[in-house]
């Protein structure tokens, strides 16, 4: 297992995620975690309720980068986009 930084490649807005850090065996699994959600229905409408608002269901606006876990203690991610 390794740590992966999954971040958006497009513009983000208030109340949306622009990055997360996940533990995964490979990049594909990291992206699968990042694009998780549930299909919801409201009347006749069906929509995708993403676990991480702003992350596209198909991962088209995301990149995953393996984080080297060796080295000095340091901040890994501080991502603040409150609305």
């Amino acid at each position: 297992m390794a740590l992966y930084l999954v971040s958006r490649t497009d513009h983000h807005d208030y109340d949306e995620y622009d990055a997360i850090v996940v533990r995964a065996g490979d990049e594909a699994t990291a992206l699968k975690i990042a694009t998780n959600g549930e299909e919801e229905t409201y009347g006749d409408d069906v929509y995708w309720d993403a676990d991480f608002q702003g992350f596209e269901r198909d991962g088209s606006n995301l990149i995953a980068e393996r984080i080297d876990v060796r080295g000095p203690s340091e901040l890994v991610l501080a991502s603040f986009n409150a609305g």
Side-chain angles (χ1 to χ4, degrees):
M1 294 286 194
L3 295 179
Y4 285 86
L5 169 63
V6 180
S7 54
R8 288 181 58 178
T9 58
D10 62 350
H11 176 74
H12 59 274
D13 207 347
Y14 295 118
D15 299 329
E16 289 185 343
Y17 289 85
D18 66 344
I20 60 173
V21 174
V22 300
R23 183 183 2 259
D26 55 32
E27 182 178 325
T29 304
L31 288 170
K32 183 176 181 179
I33 293 167
T35 57
N36 193 46
E38 293 185 17
E39 207 168 75
E40 300 285 341
T41 56
Y42 185 75
D44 291 334
D45 297 324
V46 178
Y47 66 95
W48 182 249
D49 185 19
D51 286 351
F52 303 103
Q53 188 66 29
F55 285 20
E56 295 293 335
R57 184 178 188 178
D58 64 0
S60 60
N61 68 336
L62 302 174
I63 58 170
E65 303 171 79
R66 187 180 172 125
I67 298 173
D68 186 5
V69 293
R70 291 183 218 114
S73 298
E74 62 186 337
L75 179 66
V76 173
L77 176 66
S79 180
F80 181 75
N81 299 299

